[in-house]
Amino acid sequence: MIYTRAVRFNRIEFTLVLGIAFGLLIDLSITSLLSHHQGGLFANAHLTRLLSYELMVGTAVAMILRHNGWRLPHFNVYPTLGATGAGVLLAAAGVVLFYACGWIVTLIFGTHYDTHLHEEPALLSGSASLLIAMVCVVNPLFEEMLVCAYVIGALRRRFGVIVAINFSAILRVTLHLDQGAFALLWLGLIGLLCGYVYVSTRRLWPLVVAHMIHDFVVLSHLSFA
């Protein structure tokens, strides 16, 4: 069953939830961008800290949302076979979009322009498979439930669907500034695509599956590189 949230927009709740969930991550992302330092983003210690942070902060945010009347069904995150298949297709669309963005950027700025995400293959050498698996589950759920489902669910009735989707996409980009300039274009388009998919289907699971696939491909590639 698809659930919708029919309560008024709560500015205090919205600010509190985003501040607690993403305040520190946005600060680190902007600091990393300004310092031109992307090294260590995929190191074991970073992933462990990220996992611990999302589990602790996610618990705190869940308590706030539950107190204000939010329940798990409102996020429509329940997995189904069809939604899983849609997630695989969404992940494939993301790959196509990645290379399309690379082609466009190269066409505009020339072949010398860096169209790669800033990743350091040696950093994850010998990483525990369990750590990668946990990150690939927790991180997609944390981000998609808050960046997409919560943000769009909270904003759409007060400001409209277009504003809600665009805000969600901007937030997604802001969280990943540390992945390099090329990633901004790609993640912005991915954010818009995910937002429209969520609004059209009212199902979050395809987004979670696509995010899981992306994280697994990136982290497993770096681990065994």
Side-chain angles (χ1 to χ4, degrees), residues 3 8 11 24 45 49 53 65 73 100 145 172 201 204 208:
Y3 290 79
R8 295 171 55 186
R11 182 173 291 125
L24 178 59
R49 287 195 297 269
Y53 175 86
L65 293 178
M145 290 183 72
R172 189 183 298 268
T201 65
L204 190 66
V208 174

Side-chain angles (χ1 to χ4, degrees), residues 44 121-132 219-220 222-225:
N44 286 6
L123 292 175
L124 268 176
S125 178
S127 289
S129 299
L130 180 59
L131 174 60
I132 293 177
L219 295 179
S220 61
L222 295 179
S223 178
F224 295 104

